[in-house]
């Protein structure tokens, strides 16, 4: 009886070590492209949660490129928060829980964009825009207008997306629904919409308020 008890105690003592070894072992995730073929490389970016808890992805912030061995991504180290996988021509997608997923297929990117102007005609520059799927958003995409007020979401998938601009008071103003792949459209900021960023008058080239 004592011998059996000693064996049981020894096994129980090994459990923490086995758990630690299992957590330290690399996790493997097979990544496929839109054509079903194994990817050779993929970019990884952190996607910190936004105010509503949905992770936010900004491709302009860049990411770490991982070279894949036969399409397999090795995940090592502790979980540091939401991570997004993306790449040239690929729609960004959240990295799934590797304990329940062993494979992931990335969609083809279907970009869309447009331009944003002040109601008096000047381009709205450096304005933050966000896009999320109209149904069940799992990721918020973020970008900014350039010096001509042009914006574009490059790594979104097919479907309908709700686009908003961030106002100076922190609130979001809707630009409406956009279909991925649709022709570029121009939108105008109406009086009273204080957006984040600096707007310049198109004629004088001077900063101008929004209101």
């Amino acid at each position: 009886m004592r011998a059996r008890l000693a064996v049981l105690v020894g096994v129980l003592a090994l459990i923490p070590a086995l758990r630690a070894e299992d957590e330290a072992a690399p996790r493997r995730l097979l990544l496929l492209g839109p054509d079903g073929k194994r990817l050779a490389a993929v970019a990884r970016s952190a996607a910190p949660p936004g105010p509503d808890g949905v992770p936010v992805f900004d491709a302009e912030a860049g990411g770490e490129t991982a070279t894949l061995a036969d399409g397999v991504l090795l995940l090592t180290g502790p979980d540091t928060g939401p991570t997004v996988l993306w790449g040239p021509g690929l729609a960004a997608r959240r990295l799934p829980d590797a304990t329940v997923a062993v494979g992931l297929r990335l969609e083809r990117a279907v970009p869309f964009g447009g331009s944003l102007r002040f109601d008096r005609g000047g381009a709205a520059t450096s304005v933050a825009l966000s896009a999320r799927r109209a149904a069940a958003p799992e990721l918020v995409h973020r970008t900014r207008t350039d010096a001509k007020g042009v914006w574009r979401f490059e790594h979104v998938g097919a479907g309908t997306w709700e686009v908003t601009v961030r106002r100076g008071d922190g609130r979001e103003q809707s630009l409406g629904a956009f279909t991925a792949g649709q022709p570029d459209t121009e939108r105008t900021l109406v009086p009273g919409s204080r957006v984040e960023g600096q707007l310049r008058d198109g004629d004088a080239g001077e900063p101008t308020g929004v209101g």
Side-chain angles (χ1 to χ4, degrees):
M1 183 69 177
R2 289 183 178 178
R4 291 181 180 178
L5 202 47
V7 171
L8 179 60
V9 171
V11 171
L12 291 175
L14 286 174
I15 290 178
L18 292 174
R19 286 179 177 173
E21 182 179 344
D22 183 62
E23 292 175 355
R27 294 171 292 171
R28 299 166 63 86
L29 182 65
L30 176 63
L31 297 178
L32 304 177
D35 57 2
K37 296 181 180 180
R38 301 188 179 207
L39 293 175
V42 70
R44 297 175 59 182
S45 298
D52 58 359
V54 180
V56 177
F57 166 66
D58 186 351
E60 296 179 2
E64 174 188 357
T65 300
T67 301
L68 308 180
D70 200 22
V72 174
L73 176 65
L74 295 180
L75 303 171
T76 59
D79 184 6
T80 57
T83 300
V84 172
L85 303 178
W86 57 289
L90 298 175
R93 185 165 178 182
R94 285 184 62 180
L95 178 67
D97 184 347
T99 62
V100 298
V102 295
L104 185 67
R105 184 168 179 166
L106 300 187
E107 301 177 32
R108 179 176 63 88
V110 188
F112 71 92
S115 60
L116 196 59
R117 304 188 68 81
F118 188 46
D119 66 317
R120 296 190 310 189
T125 65
S126 298
V127 175
L129 297 96
S130 298
R132 65 179 67 206
R133 287 190 186 275
E138 69 163 14
L139 189 66
V140 174
H141 293 251
R142 183 165 292 170
T143 191
R144 283 182 175 271
T145 56
D146 64 14
K148 296 182 179 180
V150 175
W151 56 271
R152 193 166 183 81
F153 291 104
E154 292 285 356
H155 298 282
V156 295
T160 302
W161 296 80
E162 298 286 347
V163 177
T164 59
V165 295
R166 183 175 294 278
R167 296 165 32 138
D169 59 9
R171 291 185 296 173
E172 300 284 335
Q173 176 186 334
S174 175
L175 289 184
F178 291 75
T179 301
Q182 73 176 51
D184 290 359
T185 59
E186 181 177 291
R187 299 294 171 93
T188 301
L189 294 174
V190 298
S193 59
R194 301 190 62 82
V195 299
E196 181 186 71
Q198 179 172 277
L199 302 182
R200 291 185 174 273
D201 183 275
D203 296 325
E206 296 295 331
T208 179
V210 183

